[in-house]
Amino acid sequence: VVVNTGITEVQSLAFATMTALESVQLPSSLIYHQGGTFGYDTTISNISLPYGTNALNTFDFGESGSIGMFTQCQNLETFWMPDTVMSAGWGTFTNLDFFGVQTKLKNVRLSQNLQELSVDMFSSNQSLGFIEIPKSVKIIGSTALSECGSLKIKLNEGLERIEFWAFNDTSLGSLILPSTLKYIGNDAFV
């Protein structure tokens, strides 16, 4: 799919649940995504967000739950986040693993202006091998990197909070905590 230049906004769930979508080319004019844009796209393997994108939003169903922008994108292996992104909503890349199907997400480059790893941002992504948390990130949210198997992570100076269960059921090996860290929540590394 090629989205034409001039489009500045994509609405909620615009490409969600598409089963034959493999690649999306978005224009540089695009700056805003409503929630869950690509959630449950089981075949998408290539997507580049244009420089200027400022947020990766979540679609909220209320009591029924929500869908992160790339929730359960089973074939997405690599993701490069433009430095214009400052926020990413709940469960942006979460793998819900309802049916024992794992996502293939292995490589992620985060925005150097991202402020927080949101709740469940990468939860249950067993293929994720390494992630570097930029200096701009102040908070690693609850269960942000839980159930990620064996993960190598680099925490940079600037990080202030690690919330409860942030790394629950994730094998980290060795980890150096930054001197800027002020708070570690209950069971953050259990």
Side-chain angles (χ1 to χ4, degrees), residues 1 15 18-25 38 41-48 75-77:
V1 172
F15 298 103
M18 297 183 78
T19 57
L21 183 65
E22 293 178 11
S23 179
V24 176
Q25 188 175 10
F38 302 99
D41 284 344
T42 56
T43 55
I44 193 166
S45 61
N46 182 17
I47 184 161
S48 295
N75 286 317
L76 187 63
E77 291 186 28

Side-chain angles (χ1 to χ4, degrees), residues 7 12 31 33 44 66 74 87 89 103 112 116 130 135 142 151 154 157 161 173-174 181-182 187:
I7 299 289
S12 297
I31 56 171
H33 298 265
I44 193 166
S66 54
Q74 294 171 2
S87 67
T103 58
Q112 297 302 300
E116 175 180 355
F130 173 79
K135 294 176 184 175
S142 301
L151 179 66
K154 181 177 180 186
E157 294 294 320
R161 294 179 66 90
S174 66
L181 192 62
K182 299 174 184 173
D187 300 325

Side-chain angles (χ1 to χ4, degrees), residues 38-173:
F38 302 99
Y40 294 95
D41 284 344
T42 56
T43 55
I44 193 166
S45 61
N46 182 17
I47 184 161
S48 295
L49 296 181
Y51 189 82
T53 301
N54 56 19
L56 308 180
N57 296 307
T58 299
F59 182 75
D60 189 1
F61 291 107
E63 290 182 21
S64 299
S66 54
I67 297 177
M69 190 164 184
F70 300 101
T71 294
Q72 205 70 30
C73 286
Q74 294 171 2
N75 286 317
L76 187 63
E77 291 186 28
T78 300
F79 183 80
W80 181 85
M81 187 182 293
D83 284 337
T84 51
V85 174
M86 296 182 72
S87 67
W90 175 94
T92 303
F93 296 95
T94 196
N95 175 36
L96 299 175
D97 197 18
F98 287 139
F99 307 106
V101 177
Q102 273 295 317
T103 58
K104 296 178 182 174
L105 187 63
K106 293 177 187 166
N107 303 302
V108 175
R109 188 266 186 194
L110 296 173
S111 164
Q112 297 302 300
N113 292 301
L114 187 65
Q115 300 295 304
E116 175 180 355
L117 291 192
S118 62
V119 172
D120 280 341
M121 189 164 177
F122 292 100
S123 66
S124 299
N125 275 284
Q126 301 273 326
S127 297
L128 193 59
F130 173 79
I131 191 164
E132 181 173 349
I133 309 301
K135 294 176 184 175
S136 59
V137 171
K138 305 290 183 221
I139 301 169
I140 296 178
S142 301
T143 62
L145 289 155
S146 66
E147 300 179 16
C148 285
S150 183
L151 179 66
K152 292 180 181 166
I153 188 166
K154 181 177 180 186
L155 302 176
N156 281 306
E157 294 294 320
L159 181 65
E160 297 176 1
R161 294 179 66 90
I162 297 176
E163 298 295 339
F164 69 94
W165 297 345
F167 298 98
N168 182 51
D169 203 20
T170 296
S171 176
L172 295 173

Side-chain angles (χ1 to χ4, degrees), residues 3-41:
V3 178
N4 293 329
T5 300
I7 299 289
T8 58
E9 184 174 325
V10 175
Q11 290 293 306
S12 297
L13 309 174
F15 298 103
T17 69
M18 297 183 78
T19 57
L21 183 65
E22 293 178 11
S23 179
V24 176
Q25 188 175 10
L26 299 169
S28 59
S29 58
L30 185 66
I31 56 171
Y32 186 75
H33 298 265
Q34 295 282 344
T37 307
F38 302 99
Y40 294 95
D41 284 344

